[in-house]
Amino acid sequence: LITAAQTITVKEKRVVEGHYEQSIELPLATNFNDCDDETNYVGINYIGGYRFSNLFFLGAGIGINFNYFYDESDQSYPNAYDDYSSGTFGVSHNLISIPLYLHARLYFTDTRCQPFFAFSIGGHLTGSKEVENAPDVSYNPSCFFVNPVFGLNFRTNSNYDFYVSTGLMARDLLIEGEWYNYGQDVELYYGFDFGLAWSLNLGVTF
């Protein structure tokens, strides 16, 4: 008597109906420009929004970042030719900044392990700073940013997902400034070239 056994492999797919979804994320960013190390940061973010289907999420994020090469120095250098009525100052960034941004994710599969593309756009908000050795000169080093990343999402059970993502972040960082008329007029200079960074994100979705 000969019998034949047939093995059937079923590929599990995840069925997701529209619902509110949230994530806790640990971000890290390292600036490629050696002259601006103090814009490197670690932080923690909360992202909340609507999961429309297996493949698409749209929401917003808020959190707190800590610049781990924080430097308080931002001295002013008066111009001697106009009797110290104007000057140039370097910029230092605050220890803490608040990211506030829109966030979207596009998942490429509906399986347990999902590669995805995510895009964030918003700002890193912080408080104003006064310039040393300058009369009544202040500035705000808040910046605009865009952050496209690729990642992998891992489903462990029906309630929690874990993910990792990495990509490039571009920020319109404040580089330097000039003041005129004893600080009554201040002109600031920004640049995306100083703000290019590598970003890494670890998170849990629930």
Side-chain angles (χ1 to χ4, degrees):
L1 180 63
I2 301 175
T3 60
Q6 183 178 12
T7 302
I8 300 176
T9 301
V10 178
K11 188 175 183 180
E12 180 182 358
K13 292 188 176 182
R14 184 179 191 183
V15 178
V16 177
E17 298 179 353
H19 65 282
Y20 183 80
E21 188 174 86
Q22 51 195 338
S23 300
I24 300 296
E25 185 175 275
L26 301 177
L28 178 149
T30 300
N31 201 302
F32 288 131
N33 192 309
D34 293 336
C35 298
D36 217 7
D37 281 341
E38 66 175 275
T39 59
N40 299 339
Y41 68 79
V42 294
I44 183 169
N45 291 344
Y46 172 82
I47 301 171
Y50 196 76
R51 182 72 176 263
F52 291 89
S53 66
N54 283 334
L55 303 181
F56 185 66
F57 168 86
L58 180 64
I62 189 171
I64 184 169
N65 294 334
F66 298 91
N67 298 321
Y68 53 85
F69 285 124
Y70 169 65
D71 184 3
E72 183 65 30
S73 178
D74 52 4
Q75 293 184 349
S76 175
Y77 306 95
N79 298 320
Y81 63 84
D82 56 6
D83 196 25
Y84 299 97
S85 63
S86 70
T88 301
F89 61 90
V91 171
S92 69
H93 294 263
N94 286 318
L95 174 63
I96 293 175
S97 61
I98 304 298
L100 183 63
Y101 55 95
L102 296 176
H103 181 79
R105 291 182 201 161
L106 177 63
Y107 296 89
F108 298 127
T109 68
D110 54 4
T111 55
R112 184 177 292 273
C113 180
Q114 295 178 287
F116 67 88
F117 171 78
F119 184 80
S120 299
I121 180 170
H124 290 158
L125 309 179
T126 187
S128 296
K129 300 192 68 174
E130 294 185 354
V131 181
E132 299 177 21
N133 303 327
D136 302 321
V137 178
S138 63
Y139 62 93
N140 190 311
S142 297
C143 69
F144 170 80
F145 79 90
V146 292
N147 187 202
V149 299
F150 286 94
L152 280 175
N153 184 76
F154 304 94
R155 179 162 60 100
T156 57
N157 55 44
S158 60
N159 296 320
Y160 297 95
D161 293 1
F162 292 92
Y163 66 87
V164 57
S165 64
T166 186
L168 294 179
M169 176 184 292
R171 293 171 288 179
D172 192 18
L173 292 179
L174 181 59
I175 302 171
E176 64 178 9
E178 292 186 73
W179 55 267
Y180 307 91
N181 300 323
Y182 297 97
Q184 297 179 15
D185 300 309
V186 179
E187 186 171 356
L188 304 176
Y189 301 96
Y190 293 82
F192 271 105
D193 53 342
F194 280 79
L196 188 61
W198 168 72
S199 66
L200 175 68
N201 308 287
L202 303 175
V204 57
T205 299
F206 51 96

